[in-house]
Amino acid sequence: MLGEGIIKGMLETARNFAGSYVSKERLITVQYPEEREALPENARVFPFLVYDGPEWLPGLRCVACQICEKECPPKCIYIDKSADKKPDAAGKPQNYPTRFDIDVSVCMSCQICVEVCPFDAIKMDKQFEYSTDDRFGGLLLDREKLAKSNEYYHQIHPVEANEVDTRLAEERAAAAAKAKAAAEAAAAKAAAAKAAAEKAAAETPAAAPAAEKPAAPKPPTSGGGGA
Amino acid sequence: MITPILARQEGWNRQPEIVPDGEGELLEVAMGPHHPSTHGVFRMDVTLDGERIIKLKPVFGYLHRNHEQLGETMSYLAIMPYTDRLDYFSSLSNNWGYALAVEKLAGIQVPERAEYLRVILAELTRIQNHASSVGFLIQDMGASGTPLMYAFKEREKILDLFESLTGSRMMCNYMRFGGCRVDTTAEWLNQARKVVAGIPAFADEFEALLTTNEILMARTQGTGILRPDLAVNAGITGPLLRASGVNYDIRKVDRYGIYDRFDFKVPLGEHGDVYDRFMLRLLELRQSVRILEQALKDIPEGPIMDPKSKIRGFRPKPGEAYGRIEAPKGELGFYVISDGTGNPYRYRVRPPSFVNLTILEDMCLGQNVADVVLILGSIDIVLGEVDR
């Protein structure tokens, strides 16, 4: 019969229309600004900089190594390296960024900066409402706007943040143990040298001034390790 | 009156030219670049004799973004997110094609679990691409809204899966050389199983809605016929070729990845018209469900990355490689030449939409001007891939 296919199709739409009154499954739209769906854990929008502790500038994990700046596919990261050094999260003296800008109007949310960062300093945010009427300045985020606390990172990516924290803690423990071992070794060496010098001085008093030099205690090599 | 004069090029076997009937004047119409049916910024310079197409010249390049040259200036890894933007409907397939080429170049092995994940994601991509391309085709035909929204309802579920796994709905940037970026959870796999189980019901509903619709049949059957010999000569691939009855599917021919482990059929068309292409996509969608069911059942535990491959400082040794996959739109190939440095010496994309679009004129000659929109929709182009 001509028109059978059309009627069949219309029955299908009628079924869906009527069904939308009884079944919640068929109502799939969300009235966006009023209603919001929770973003999944893995969601990524734009990068931000993680800092530890209460203060954002001293706590920044970023050491201005500029790897992300080089690897960024659309080249939207701009970093200036500091001339002086400050202790980083692990206590070692490191550079820090005097300028860290991300142009989010260029950023394509690819997450490559996060993957290449060896210090877990840059992570992806879930904040996507960046609309502004200033298309140049308003979308160029500086380091103060980008800096967000580790607690915030835990809030938005709990599983990932826990993994990162465990890894960082392990690395710090390993670095501390290494520094301690190095310090101990240096101390032992110094003590041995001193003992040798004393012994040499006791045997041949004339040679004592020459043996003084290696016996001098060595300065710690790695700045203490901050353990 | 249609009078064939001669094939325009020896051995090329193109559609015979159409000569005007001599009554009245010819009319030149520029369809596009801002025409809603052109699926983006694409122009067709059409010469009309009355309603009939005498000549059609596709004009593209409005969305050209220098993809290949750009790729040669950046690291191998940094190209990966740009491949998402080629065919923005099926970013995961694009990722796989590029990863395959570079893995061939560098000789990296992919772990079992990652291979399964790739198959699952590529087939989910195929399903959502076919669902939406069929929806758009019907939309071009004038069925405004309803079928497209039905297709998008299903696509939405798949995009939610992508988002919860890769972090992004369309620009997934998920595959890496030697595996995948993040591992799935058992929860995600269960969710995927649930979505896949719902797809046959969607296909049934969609077929009940449309396939026997008399208006659709009258518009599409016998429209835009592509002969198999012409299709093969022009290098057409994908659903467009198979709708003409040529059995050529790279999943079966190359058996890249682990496609040799799955039991599935390659549906073929008979007439090569728009209706066949429409039906073929629905049939392929059901075959993808079959592959997905097997893959989701068999997926093993294990690592998802080759431990030898590295993210920073990736430098394959000098050589060249061509990796190709069966993307939802046809053969998607990536050709990479390495000179041993951090960025490719030459990087070339063989996009299926672009090659399939070259046959547009031959399918349109002699048809009505309203059918051009339909034929273009049945090729299933994405301008991001055509223009690169």
Side-chain angles (χ1 to χ4, degrees), chain A residues 198-213:
Chain A
E198 274 167 9
K199 202 178 165 194
E203 278 170 6
T204 51
E212 263 322 289
K213 215 176 173 188

Side-chain angles (χ1 to χ4, degrees), chain A residues 23-62:
Chain A
S23 152
K24 203 92 180 115
E25 289 250 311
R26 286 172 205 265
L27 279 178
I28 47 160
T29 46
V30 172
Q31 304 294 327
Y32 160 60
E34 292 85 24
E35 293 174 45
R36 278 153 197 267
E37 282 188 335
L39 289 171
E41 148 115 39
N42 279 347
R44 57 183 150 93
V45 185
F46 293 125
F48 70 95
L49 294 173
V50 189
Y51 67 86
D52 295 310
E55 295 279 317
W56 71 270
L57 187 55
L60 274 186
R61 286 181 189 170
C62 178

Side-chain angles (χ1 to χ4, degrees), chain B residues 162-298:
Chain B
F162 289 170
E163 192 184 15
S164 63
L165 177 62
T166 70
S168 186
R169 295 161 65 78
M170 288 173 80
M171 304 296 137
C172 297
N173 182 21
Y174 179 64
M175 288 169 200
R176 292 285 174 267
F177 317 128
C180 301
R181 185 157 54 79
V182 282
D183 203 354
T184 52
T185 54
E187 198 185 332
W188 188 89
L189 286 173
N190 283 334
Q191 186 64 29
R193 283 184 194 110
K194 225 163 83 187
V195 170
V196 170
I199 289 165
F202 154 76
D204 290 343
E205 185 187 46
F206 211 72
E207 286 193 14
L209 184 69
L210 291 165
T211 46
T212 53
N213 188 312
E214 283 82 2
I215 302 172
L216 183 132
M217 277 149 80
R219 282 290 308 269
T220 55
Q221 289 182 349
T223 308
I225 294 177
L226 177 62
R227 297 193 320 273
D229 57 328
L230 180 58
V232 171
N233 280 344
I236 306 298
T237 45
L240 196 58
L241 178 69
R242 291 193 287 275
S244 296
V246 183
N247 188 356
Y248 183 74
D249 187 321
I250 297 168
R251 287 176 293 174
K252 288 280 189 192
V253 176
D254 262 19
R255 296 176 176 271
Y256 61 93
I258 49 163
Y259 271 113
D260 49 347
R261 297 187 199 175
F262 301 112
D263 172 34
F264 67 103
K265 290 199 176 76
V266 178
L268 293 179
E270 198 184 332
H271 307 96
D273 56 6
V274 176
Y275 189 76
D276 270 15
R277 286 171 214 144
F278 161 73
M279 277 308 291
L280 189 101
R281 293 207 168 94
L282 287 176
L283 293 174
E284 273 195 6
L285 196 143
R286 289 176 188 272
Q287 293 302 320
S288 289
V289 173
R290 269 180 73 183
I291 299 177
L292 276 170
E293 279 166 355
Q294 295 167 47
L296 284 166
K297 200 177 80 202
D298 298 343

